[in-house]
Amino acid sequence: MSGAGLRVGVLSLQGDVRENVEAAEAALESEAGGNGAVAEAASPGEIAGSDCLVIPGGESTAIGGMSLVSGAAAAVRERAGAGAPILGICAGLILLSRGASDRTVGATGQPLLDVLDVRVERNSFGRQRQSFEADVSMEPCGIPSTRGVFIRAPSVSEAGPGVEVLARHGGRIVAVRQGAVIGTAFHPELAGDLALYRHFIGGAAAARDGRRQR
Ligand code: GLN
């Protein structure tokens, strides 16, 4: 039996929280027969009570600043250290990185979680007006092609030896994985193609069931 099911937390300090809750609910339904629940997570207790976490896109400086003050930053790092699956999207990828600079303004000095051994370039594809959709291949995840939305998207400018590149676009790295943590420069929740979401939630459900059987 799969018991109480997978608890999916969506970090809800700022950004497109509702779209990610809906995407996670749809993926939970298709990958785990709805066995679990998706909840917004903002407090350290709500984060600690999540089996896996999604960090939505938004504004990384805002999410980072608020998470430091609220204790969410430490709670997310604790979950990462415990091996919990985490999906960081756009601003979420930036937040999980160990270093960030902006394509036009340079070093940002913003608070970062240092969970992924990567440096990122913010606004790597231009500003809001240059937002676009593109098909992205994520072969290491078994996803030949998925639709991503790039909104003031970053790219990964440096990746450490333990970091696997999952996808590139226009010669730049736009998705990475390190252990159970996945970061994407694009939004997988906005294009109506939930392949990556299903991969993430399905993997988290399998990891949780595996842990319970051990
Ligand atoms: N450019 C934003 C940042 O640096 C991220 C944009 C997004 O999450 N869609 O925080």
Side-chain angles (χ1 to χ4, degrees):
M1 282 304 293
S2 25
L6 185 72
R7 295 166 301 175
V8 183
V10 177
L11 189 68
S12 56
L13 296 173
Q14 192 266 336
D16 71 331
V17 175
R18 186 172 50 82
E19 289 81 352
N20 278 283
V21 168
E22 286 171 7
E25 281 173 345
L28 189 65
E29 190 60 41
S30 69
E31 301 311 298
N35 185 22
V38 182
E40 295 186 11
S43 71
E46 288 164 344
I47 293 163
S50 304
D51 296 312
C52 65
L53 275 177
V54 176
I55 306 180
E59 176 51 49
S60 58
T61 53
I63 301 173
M66 283 188 278
S67 66
L68 266 191
V69 173
S70 69
V76 172
R77 289 176 68 157
E78 189 282 327
R79 294 310 292 137
I86 300 178
L87 173 62
I89 297 168
C90 199
L93 162 63
I94 296 168
L95 206 64
L96 291 171
S97 75
R98 63 170 166 79
S101 63
D102 185 279
R103 187 166 178 80
T104 46
V105 303
T108 57
Q110 66 191 102
L112 300 170
L113 297 180
D114 195 8
V115 162
L116 282 173
D117 184 14
V118 298
R119 287 189 60 83
V120 298
E121 179 182 71
R122 294 177 61 197
N123 300 301
S124 194
F125 299 90
R127 301 257 159 208
Q128 190 84 16
R129 267 180 302 172
Q130 282 104 45
S131 298
F132 60 95
E133 282 189 26
D135 292 323
V136 178
S137 169
M138 303 188 77
E139 291 289 355
C141 301
I143 302 170
S145 178
T146 187
R147 194 87 178 146
V149 183
F150 292 73
I151 305 168
R152 292 186 300 123
S155 69
V156 171
S157 48
E158 275 176 49
V163 176
E164 185 183 5
V165 174
L166 298 179
R168 292 177 196 267
H169 180 79
R172 303 204 179 106
I173 299 171
V174 293
V176 292
R177 173 165 59 197
Q178 185 175 3
V181 180
I182 293 176
T184 65
F186 54 87
H187 290 257
E189 77 284 9
L190 293 179
D193 171 356
L194 294 181
L196 179 62
Y197 245 98
R198 288 198 299 274
H199 173 80
F200 175 72
I201 297 289
R208 186 169 186 274
D209 289 347
R211 262 202 291 279
R212 192 178 301 109
Q213 278 154 21
R214 250 183 260 140

